[in-house]
Amino acid sequence: RDFDLPQMMIKSDLALYESKARGKGISTLFADAMDERYQKRQRLKNDLKKAIKDRKLNVFYQPIISADTMQIATCEALCRWDHPELGPISPAIFIPLAEETGAITDLTRFMLEQACEDCQSWEGNVSVAVNLSAVDFRGSQISEMVRVALARSKLSPGRLEVEVTEGAILEDQYIASSMLTELKKSGIRIALIFTICRSTRSR
C-alpha cells in the first residue's frame, strides 16, 4: 500500500487528541474508532449549523416557582436538538460544538427570539430566562440581539432575564462588565450563575 502522508498526519493528530483527553504522560496508538468518532463529530457540526439556520431546534421551558406566591414566576428556556437520523442529541454535546464552530452566536439569537416570542403569548407577568454563553461575550452583538428580539416580539424588557455564567465574567471582566451594564440599562434582568466547589478531606 502506498504511503499516504496526509492520512498519516490526520491519524497522528487523532491519536494525539485522544492522549490529551486521557491525561498527562499518556501515549495512544491510532484506532479506527477514533476516525469514526471524528467523522461523526464533523457531521454533527455541519448538521447543527443547518438545524440552527433552518430553525429546526426545539425550545422547552423549565418553570421556576416563586417561594412567596408558590406560582410560576419565570420559565428557563432550554434548547433541545432532535436529529432526524441520530435522534436526540444532548446539549452537553451540541452546545460545545456550537461554541467550537462559532455557531453559538446564531444559536443564542435563535433562543432569544423564540423565547421572547413565546413569552409574549403567556398570560400574566411570567418572565423568561435565556442562558448566554461565555463565547457570546467575546463579540459585541449581544445587546443588539436582545434589542431585536424584544422589538420583534414586543415583549416588555422586564420580562426577559439573561443568565450569565461565571466563565463569561472571569474570561474578560472589563468587556463583561460593559456588556452587563448596557444590558441592564435596557431594562432586562440579569442573573449571575456561579459554581460552588466544595473541598473534601480524607479522614
Side-chain angles (χ1 to χ4, degrees), residues 56-111:
K56 295 295 185 181
L57 299 175
N58 300 311
V59 183
F60 291 87
Y61 296 95
Q62 175 70 47
I64 300 175
I65 308 297
S66 169
D68 295 328
T69 64
M70 297 307 295
Q71 295 181 345
I72 298 176
T74 305
C75 288
E76 182 181 5
L78 304 174
C79 187
R80 296 294 182 263
W81 182 24
D82 192 9
H83 193 282
E85 297 179 19
L86 302 176
I89 306 296
S90 170
I93 294 178
F94 73 79
I95 295 298
L97 287 180
E99 293 179 337
E100 182 180 326
T101 60
I104 191 66
T105 299
D106 292 330
L107 178 57
T108 299
R109 181 182 293 108
F110 163 76
M111 290 295 293

Short mmCIF file of all heavy atoms in Angstrom, two decimals, residues 56-111:
data_model
loop_
_atom_site.label_atom_id
_atom_site.label_comp_id
_atom_site.label_asym_id
_atom_site.label_seq_id
_atom_site.Cartn_x
_atom_site.Cartn_y
_atom_site.Cartn_z
N LYS A 56 -34.63 24.37 13.21
CA LYS A 56 -35.13 23.02 13.48
C LYS A 56 -34.85 22.58 14.92
O LYS A 56 -35.05 21.42 15.25
CB LYS A 56 -34.49 22.03 12.51
CG LYS A 56 -34.88 22.24 11.05
CD LYS A 56 -36.36 22.00 10.83
CE LYS A 56 -36.73 22.10 9.36
NZ LYS A 56 -38.18 21.89 9.14
N LEU A 57 -34.39 23.49 15.75
CA LEU A 57 -34.16 23.17 17.16
C LEU A 57 -35.46 23.41 17.93
O LEU A 57 -36.32 24.20 17.52
CB LEU A 57 -33.05 24.04 17.72
CG LEU A 57 -31.68 23.89 17.05
CD1 LEU A 57 -30.71 24.90 17.61
CD2 LEU A 57 -31.15 22.49 17.19
N ASN A 58 -35.59 22.75 19.05
CA ASN A 58 -36.78 22.89 19.88
C ASN A 58 -36.45 23.66 21.15
O ASN A 58 -35.34 23.55 21.69
CB ASN A 58 -37.35 21.52 20.25
CG ASN A 58 -37.75 20.72 19.02
OD1 ASN A 58 -38.43 21.22 18.14
ND2 ASN A 58 -37.33 19.46 18.96
N VAL A 59 -37.41 24.44 21.62
CA VAL A 59 -37.23 25.18 22.86
C VAL A 59 -38.26 24.69 23.87
O VAL A 59 -39.47 24.74 23.62
CB VAL A 59 -37.39 26.70 22.65
CG1 VAL A 59 -37.13 27.44 23.97
CG2 VAL A 59 -36.44 27.20 21.57
N PHE A 60 -37.78 24.19 25.00
CA PHE A 60 -38.64 23.77 26.09
C PHE A 60 -38.43 24.71 27.27
O PHE A 60 -37.41 25.41 27.35
CB PHE A 60 -38.33 22.32 26.49
CG PHE A 60 -38.71 21.31 25.45
CD1 PHE A 60 -37.84 20.96 24.43
CD2 PHE A 60 -39.96 20.70 25.49
CE1 PHE A 60 -38.19 20.04 23.46
CE2 PHE A 60 -40.31 19.77 24.53
CZ PHE A 60 -39.44 19.44 23.52
N TYR A 61 -39.38 24.69 28.18
CA TYR A 61 -39.31 25.65 29.29
C TYR A 61 -39.42 24.96 30.64
O TYR A 61 -40.33 24.16 30.87
CB TYR A 61 -40.41 26.71 29.14
CG TYR A 61 -40.23 27.54 27.89
CD1 TYR A 61 -40.89 27.20 26.71
CD2 TYR A 61 -39.37 28.63 27.87
CE1 TYR A 61 -40.71 27.93 25.55
CE2 TYR A 61 -39.18 29.37 26.72
CZ TYR A 61 -39.85 29.02 25.56
OH TYR A 61 -39.66 29.74 24.41
N GLN A 62 -38.46 25.29 31.51
CA GLN A 62 -38.43 24.76 32.88
C GLN A 62 -39.01 25.82 33.81
O GLN A 62 -38.42 26.89 34.00
CB GLN A 62 -36.99 24.44 33.29
CG GLN A 62 -36.83 24.00 34.73
CD GLN A 62 -37.43 22.62 34.96
OE1 GLN A 62 -37.20 21.71 34.19
NE2 GLN A 62 -38.19 22.48 36.03
N PRO A 63 -40.18 25.58 34.39
CA PRO A 63 -40.79 26.59 35.26
C PRO A 63 -40.01 26.78 36.56
O PRO A 63 -39.50 25.83 37.14
CB PRO A 63 -42.19 26.05 35.52
CG PRO A 63 -42.06 24.56 35.32
CD PRO A 63 -41.03 24.38 34.26
N ILE A 64 -39.93 28.02 37.00
CA ILE A 64 -39.30 28.36 38.27
C ILE A 64 -40.38 28.96 39.17
O ILE A 64 -41.02 29.96 38.82
CB ILE A 64 -38.15 29.37 38.07
CG1 ILE A 64 -37.08 28.76 37.15
CG2 ILE A 64 -37.55 29.77 39.42
CD1 ILE A 64 -35.97 29.72 36.79
N ILE A 65 -40.62 28.33 40.31
CA ILE A 65 -41.69 28.71 41.21
C ILE A 65 -41.22 29.75 42.23
O ILE A 65 -40.15 29.61 42.82
CB ILE A 65 -42.26 27.49 41.95
CG1 ILE A 65 -42.63 26.38 40.96
CG2 ILE A 65 -43.46 27.87 42.79
CD1 ILE A 65 -43.71 26.75 39.99
N SER A 66 -42.03 30.78 42.43
CA SER A 66 -41.73 31.79 43.45
C SER A 66 -42.04 31.23 44.83
O SER A 66 -43.13 30.68 45.06
CB SER A 66 -42.56 33.05 43.21
OG SER A 66 -42.46 33.93 44.32
N ALA A 67 -41.11 31.36 45.75
CA ALA A 67 -41.31 30.85 47.11
C ALA A 67 -42.37 31.67 47.85
O ALA A 67 -42.99 31.18 48.80
CB ALA A 67 -40.00 30.88 47.89
N ASP A 68 -42.58 32.91 47.42
CA ASP A 68 -43.54 33.78 48.08
C ASP A 68 -44.98 33.47 47.67
O ASP A 68 -45.88 33.41 48.51
CB ASP A 68 -43.22 35.25 47.79
CG ASP A 68 -41.89 35.68 48.37
OD1 ASP A 68 -41.52 35.14 49.44
OD2 ASP A 68 -41.22 36.54 47.78
N THR A 69 -45.19 33.30 46.38
CA THR A 69 -46.55 33.10 45.87
C THR A 69 -46.87 31.65 45.53
O THR A 69 -48.03 31.31 45.34
CB THR A 69 -46.76 33.95 44.61
OG1 THR A 69 -45.88 33.49 43.56
CG2 THR A 69 -46.46 35.42 44.89
N MET A 70 -45.80 30.81 45.45
CA MET A 70 -45.95 29.41 45.03
C MET A 70 -46.56 29.30 43.63
O MET A 70 -47.23 28.34 43.30
CB MET A 70 -46.79 28.63 46.05
CG MET A 70 -46.16 28.54 47.42
SD MET A 70 -44.45 27.89 47.38
CE MET A 70 -44.74 26.21 46.80
N GLN A 71 -46.30 30.30 42.81
CA GLN A 71 -46.74 30.31 41.43
C GLN A 71 -45.53 30.46 40.51
O GLN A 71 -44.45 30.85 40.94
CB GLN A 71 -47.74 31.45 41.19
CG GLN A 71 -49.04 31.30 41.95
CD GLN A 71 -50.01 32.43 41.66
OE1 GLN A 71 -49.64 33.46 41.12
NE2 GLN A 71 -51.27 32.24 42.02
N ILE A 72 -45.75 30.13 39.24
CA ILE A 72 -44.65 30.23 38.26
C ILE A 72 -44.27 31.70 38.08
O ILE A 72 -45.13 32.53 37.74
CB ILE A 72 -45.03 29.61 36.92
CG1 ILE A 72 -45.32 28.12 37.08
CG2 ILE A 72 -43.92 29.83 35.90
CD1 ILE A 72 -45.81 27.44 35.82
N ALA A 73 -43.01 32.02 38.31
CA ALA A 73 -42.53 33.39 38.15
C ALA A 73 -41.72 33.54 36.86
O ALA A 73 -41.82 34.55 36.17
CB ALA A 73 -41.68 33.79 39.35
N THR A 74 -40.92 32.52 36.57
CA THR A 74 -40.05 32.56 35.40
C THR A 74 -39.98 31.17 34.77
O THR A 74 -40.13 30.17 35.47
CB THR A 74 -38.62 33.00 35.79
OG1 THR A 74 -38.68 34.25 36.48
CG2 THR A 74 -37.73 33.15 34.57
N CYS A 75 -39.75 31.14 33.48
CA CYS A 75 -39.52 29.87 32.79
C CYS A 75 -38.17 29.94 32.10
O CYS A 75 -37.90 30.87 31.34
CB CYS A 75 -40.62 29.60 31.76
SG CYS A 75 -42.21 29.17 32.48
N GLU A 76 -37.31 28.99 32.41
CA GLU A 76 -35.98 28.95 31.80
C GLU A 76 -36.05 28.26 30.45
O GLU A 76 -36.55 27.15 30.33
CB GLU A 76 -35.00 28.21 32.71
CG GLU A 76 -33.59 28.17 32.15
CD GLU A 76 -32.63 27.42 33.05
OE1 GLU A 76 -33.08 26.83 34.05
OE2 GLU A 76 -31.42 27.41 32.75
N ALA A 77 -35.56 28.94 29.41
CA ALA A 77 -35.58 28.39 28.06
C ALA A 77 -34.45 27.38 27.89
O ALA A 77 -33.29 27.68 28.16
CB ALA A 77 -35.43 29.52 27.03
N LEU A 78 -34.80 26.18 27.45
CA LEU A 78 -33.83 25.10 27.27
C LEU A 78 -33.85 24.66 25.81
O LEU A 78 -34.91 24.39 25.25
CB LEU A 78 -34.18 23.91 28.18
CG LEU A 78 -34.29 24.21 29.67
CD1 LEU A 78 -34.79 22.99 30.42
CD2 LEU A 78 -32.96 24.68 30.24
N CYS A 79 -32.68 24.59 25.21
CA CYS A 79 -32.58 24.19 23.81
C CYS A 79 -32.43 22.68 23.70
O CYS A 79 -31.64 22.07 24.42
CB CYS A 79 -31.39 24.88 23.15
SG CYS A 79 -31.28 24.61 21.37
N ARG A 80 -33.18 22.08 22.79
CA ARG A 80 -33.11 20.64 22.54
C ARG A 80 -33.00 20.39 21.05
O ARG A 80 -33.62 21.08 20.24
CB ARG A 80 -34.34 19.93 23.12
CG ARG A 80 -34.44 20.02 24.64
CD ARG A 80 -33.32 19.26 25.32
NE ARG A 80 -33.42 19.29 26.78
CZ ARG A 80 -32.76 20.15 27.54
NH1 ARG A 80 -31.97 21.07 26.98
NH2 ARG A 80 -32.87 20.11 28.85
N TRP A 81 -32.20 19.39 20.69
CA TRP A 81 -31.98 19.06 19.28
C TRP A 81 -32.32 17.60 19.04
O TRP A 81 -31.69 16.71 19.59
CB TRP A 81 -30.53 19.34 18.90
CG TRP A 81 -30.22 19.07 17.45
CD1 TRP A 81 -31.09 19.06 16.39
CD2 TRP A 81 -28.93 18.79 16.89
NE1 TRP A 81 -30.44 18.79 15.21
CE2 TRP A 81 -29.11 18.62 15.50
CE3 TRP A 81 -27.66 18.66 17.44
CZ2 TRP A 81 -28.05 18.33 14.64
CZ3 TRP A 81 -26.61 18.38 16.59
CH2 TRP A 81 -26.80 18.23 15.20
N ASP A 82 -33.32 17.39 18.21
CA ASP A 82 -33.73 16.04 17.83
C ASP A 82 -33.25 15.81 16.40
O ASP A 82 -33.89 16.22 15.43
CB ASP A 82 -35.25 15.89 17.92
CG ASP A 82 -35.70 14.44 17.82
OD1 ASP A 82 -34.83 13.55 17.86
OD2 ASP A 82 -36.91 14.19 17.68
N HIS A 83 -32.10 15.14 16.26
CA HIS A 83 -31.51 14.89 14.94
C HIS A 83 -32.41 13.96 14.14
O HIS A 83 -32.89 12.95 14.68
CB HIS A 83 -30.12 14.28 15.11
CG HIS A 83 -29.30 14.27 13.86
ND1 HIS A 83 -29.49 13.35 12.85
CD2 HIS A 83 -28.28 15.08 13.45
CE1 HIS A 83 -28.63 13.59 11.88
NE2 HIS A 83 -27.88 14.63 12.23
N PRO A 84 -32.67 14.27 12.87
CA PRO A 84 -33.60 13.45 12.07
C PRO A 84 -33.18 12.00 11.91
O PRO A 84 -34.03 11.13 11.69
CB PRO A 84 -33.63 14.18 10.71
CG PRO A 84 -32.39 15.00 10.69
CD PRO A 84 -32.13 15.41 12.11
N GLU A 85 -31.89 11.70 12.03
CA GLU A 85 -31.41 10.32 11.88
C GLU A 85 -30.83 9.75 13.17
O GLU A 85 -31.02 8.57 13.46
CB GLU A 85 -30.35 10.25 10.77
CG GLU A 85 -30.88 10.62 9.39
CD GLU A 85 -29.79 10.57 8.34
OE1 GLU A 85 -28.76 9.91 8.58
OE2 GLU A 85 -29.97 11.19 7.27
N LEU A 86 -30.14 10.57 13.92
CA LEU A 86 -29.45 10.09 15.13
C LEU A 86 -30.30 10.23 16.39
O LEU A 86 -29.91 9.74 17.44
CB LEU A 86 -28.13 10.86 15.30
CG LEU A 86 -27.16 10.77 14.13
CD1 LEU A 86 -25.94 11.64 14.39
CD2 LEU A 86 -26.74 9.32 13.88
N GLY A 87 -31.43 10.88 16.28
CA GLY A 87 -32.29 11.04 17.44
C GLY A 87 -31.85 12.20 18.32
O GLY A 87 -31.08 13.07 17.90
N PRO A 88 -32.31 12.24 19.57
CA PRO A 88 -31.97 13.34 20.47
C PRO A 88 -30.46 13.44 20.72
O PRO A 88 -29.82 12.45 21.02
CB PRO A 88 -32.73 12.98 21.76
CG PRO A 88 -33.82 12.06 21.32
CD PRO A 88 -33.26 11.28 20.18
N ILE A 89 -29.94 14.65 20.59
CA ILE A 89 -28.53 14.91 20.87
C ILE A 89 -28.46 15.76 22.14
O ILE A 89 -29.11 16.79 22.24
CB ILE A 89 -27.86 15.68 19.71
CG1 ILE A 89 -28.07 14.94 18.38
CG2 ILE A 89 -26.37 15.87 19.99
CD1 ILE A 89 -27.43 13.57 18.31
N SER A 90 -27.67 15.31 23.09
CA SER A 90 -27.58 16.00 24.37
C SER A 90 -26.99 17.41 24.21
O SER A 90 -26.05 17.62 23.44
CB SER A 90 -26.69 15.19 25.33
OG SER A 90 -26.40 15.95 26.48
N PRO A 91 -27.52 18.39 24.96
CA PRO A 91 -26.93 19.74 24.96
C PRO A 91 -25.46 19.72 25.38
O PRO A 91 -24.68 20.58 24.96
CB PRO A 91 -27.79 20.50 25.98
CG PRO A 91 -29.08 19.77 26.00
CD PRO A 91 -28.73 18.32 25.80
N ALA A 92 -25.09 18.73 26.20
CA ALA A 92 -23.69 18.60 26.62
C ALA A 92 -22.78 18.30 25.44
O ALA A 92 -21.56 18.48 25.51
CB ALA A 92 -23.55 17.50 27.67
N ILE A 93 -23.38 17.85 24.34
CA ILE A 93 -22.62 17.55 23.13
C ILE A 93 -22.71 18.70 22.13
O ILE A 93 -21.70 19.18 21.62
CB ILE A 93 -23.12 16.24 22.47
CG1 ILE A 93 -22.83 15.05 23.38
CG2 ILE A 93 -22.48 16.05 21.10
CD1 ILE A 93 -23.34 13.73 22.84
N PHE A 94 -23.95 19.16 21.85
CA PHE A 94 -24.07 20.13 20.76
C PHE A 94 -23.75 21.58 21.15
O PHE A 94 -23.37 22.37 20.29
CB PHE A 94 -25.42 20.02 20.06
CG PHE A 94 -26.62 20.55 20.80
CD1 PHE A 94 -26.87 21.92 20.85
CD2 PHE A 94 -27.52 19.69 21.40
CE1 PHE A 94 -27.99 22.40 21.50
CE2 PHE A 94 -28.65 20.17 22.05
CZ PHE A 94 -28.87 21.53 22.11
N ILE A 95 -23.88 21.92 22.43
CA ILE A 95 -23.52 23.28 22.83
C ILE A 95 -22.01 23.53 22.66
O ILE A 95 -21.60 24.54 22.07
CB ILE A 95 -23.95 23.58 24.28
CG1 ILE A 95 -25.48 23.56 24.39
CG2 ILE A 95 -23.41 24.94 24.73
CD1 ILE A 95 -26.19 24.59 23.56
N PRO A 96 -21.13 22.62 23.15
CA PRO A 96 -19.69 22.81 22.90
C PRO A 96 -19.36 22.83 21.41
O PRO A 96 -18.44 23.55 20.98
CB PRO A 96 -19.06 21.59 23.59
CG PRO A 96 -20.02 21.23 24.67
CD PRO A 96 -21.37 21.49 24.07
N LEU A 97 -20.08 22.04 20.61
CA LEU A 97 -19.84 22.05 19.17
C LEU A 97 -20.19 23.41 18.58
O LEU A 97 -19.49 23.92 17.71
CB LEU A 97 -20.68 20.96 18.49
CG LEU A 97 -20.24 19.51 18.68
CD1 LEU A 97 -21.18 18.57 17.94
CD2 LEU A 97 -18.81 19.29 18.20
N ALA A 98 -21.29 23.99 19.06
CA ALA A 98 -21.69 25.30 18.58
C ALA A 98 -20.66 26.36 18.96
O ALA A 98 -20.35 27.26 18.17
CB ALA A 98 -23.06 25.67 19.15
N GLU A 99 -20.10 26.24 20.16
CA GLU A 99 -19.07 27.19 20.59
C GLU A 99 -17.79 27.00 19.78
O GLU A 99 -17.14 27.97 19.38
CB GLU A 99 -18.78 26.99 22.08
CG GLU A 99 -19.95 27.38 22.98
CD GLU A 99 -19.66 27.15 24.45
OE1 GLU A 99 -18.78 26.32 24.76
OE2 GLU A 99 -20.31 27.80 25.29
N GLU A 100 -17.46 25.76 19.51
CA GLU A 100 -16.23 25.45 18.77
C GLU A 100 -16.30 25.94 17.33
O GLU A 100 -15.30 26.42 16.79
CB GLU A 100 -16.00 23.93 18.78
CG GLU A 100 -14.73 23.48 18.08
CD GLU A 100 -14.57 21.97 18.14
OE1 GLU A 100 -14.98 21.36 19.14
OE2 GLU A 100 -14.03 21.41 17.16
N THR A 101 -17.45 25.85 16.71
CA THR A 101 -17.59 26.22 15.29
C THR A 101 -17.98 27.68 15.10
O THR A 101 -18.02 28.16 13.97
CB THR A 101 -18.66 25.35 14.61
OG1 THR A 101 -19.92 25.53 15.27
CG2 THR A 101 -18.28 23.88 14.67
N GLY A 102 -18.28 28.38 16.19
CA GLY A 102 -18.71 29.77 16.06
C GLY A 102 -20.19 29.92 15.79
O GLY A 102 -20.69 31.03 15.59
N ALA A 103 -20.92 28.79 15.82
CA ALA A 103 -22.37 28.84 15.57
C ALA A 103 -23.16 29.23 16.81
O ALA A 103 -24.38 29.38 16.76
CB ALA A 103 -22.85 27.47 15.07
N ILE A 104 -22.46 29.40 17.94
CA ILE A 104 -23.15 29.70 19.19
C ILE A 104 -23.87 31.04 19.14
O ILE A 104 -24.94 31.20 19.74
CB ILE A 104 -22.15 29.68 20.38
CG1 ILE A 104 -22.89 29.72 21.72
CG2 ILE A 104 -21.14 30.81 20.25
CD1 ILE A 104 -23.73 28.52 22.00
N THR A 105 -23.34 31.99 18.39
CA THR A 105 -24.00 33.29 18.28
C THR A 105 -25.35 33.16 17.59
O THR A 105 -26.35 33.74 18.03
CB THR A 105 -23.12 34.29 17.50
OG1 THR A 105 -21.88 34.47 18.20
CG2 THR A 105 -23.81 35.65 17.37
N ASP A 106 -25.39 32.38 16.51
CA ASP A 106 -26.66 32.15 15.81
C ASP A 106 -27.62 31.36 16.69
O ASP A 106 -28.84 31.59 16.65
CB ASP A 106 -26.41 31.39 14.50
CG ASP A 106 -25.68 32.24 13.48
OD1 ASP A 106 -25.84 33.48 13.51
OD2 ASP A 106 -24.94 31.67 12.65
N LEU A 107 -27.09 30.45 17.49
CA LEU A 107 -27.92 29.67 18.40
C LEU A 107 -28.52 30.58 19.48
O LEU A 107 -29.71 30.48 19.81
CB LEU A 107 -27.10 28.55 19.04
CG LEU A 107 -27.82 27.67 20.08
CD1 LEU A 107 -29.07 27.04 19.48
CD2 LEU A 107 -26.88 26.60 20.62
N THR A 108 -27.71 31.47 20.03
CA THR A 108 -28.19 32.41 21.04
C THR A 108 -29.25 33.33 20.46
O THR A 108 -30.27 33.61 21.10
CB THR A 108 -27.03 33.25 21.60
OG1 THR A 108 -26.07 32.38 22.22
CG2 THR A 108 -27.52 34.25 22.63
N ARG A 109 -29.02 33.79 19.24
CA ARG A 109 -30.00 34.66 18.58
C ARG A 109 -31.34 33.93 18.42
O ARG A 109 -32.41 34.49 18.68
CB ARG A 109 -29.48 35.10 17.22
CG ARG A 109 -30.45 36.04 16.48
CD ARG A 109 -29.92 36.41 15.10
NE ARG A 109 -28.72 37.24 15.19
CZ ARG A 109 -27.49 36.81 14.90
NH1 ARG A 109 -27.30 35.54 14.52
NH2 ARG A 109 -26.46 37.61 15.00
N PHE A 110 -31.27 32.67 17.99
CA PHE A 110 -32.48 31.87 17.83
C PHE A 110 -33.22 31.73 19.16
O PHE A 110 -34.44 31.90 19.24
CB PHE A 110 -32.12 30.50 17.27
CG PHE A 110 -33.20 29.46 17.44
CD1 PHE A 110 -34.33 29.46 16.63
CD2 PHE A 110 -33.10 28.49 18.43
CE1 PHE A 110 -35.33 28.51 16.81
CE2 PHE A 110 -34.09 27.53 18.61
CZ PHE A 110 -35.22 27.55 17.80
N MET A 111 -32.47 31.41 20.23
CA MET A 111 -33.07 31.21 21.53
C MET A 111 -33.72 32.49 22.05
O MET A 111 -34.83 32.46 22.60
CB MET A 111 -32.02 30.70 22.52
CG MET A 111 -31.54 29.28 22.25
SD MET A 111 -32.86 28.06 22.47
CE MET A 111 -33.16 28.17 24.23
#
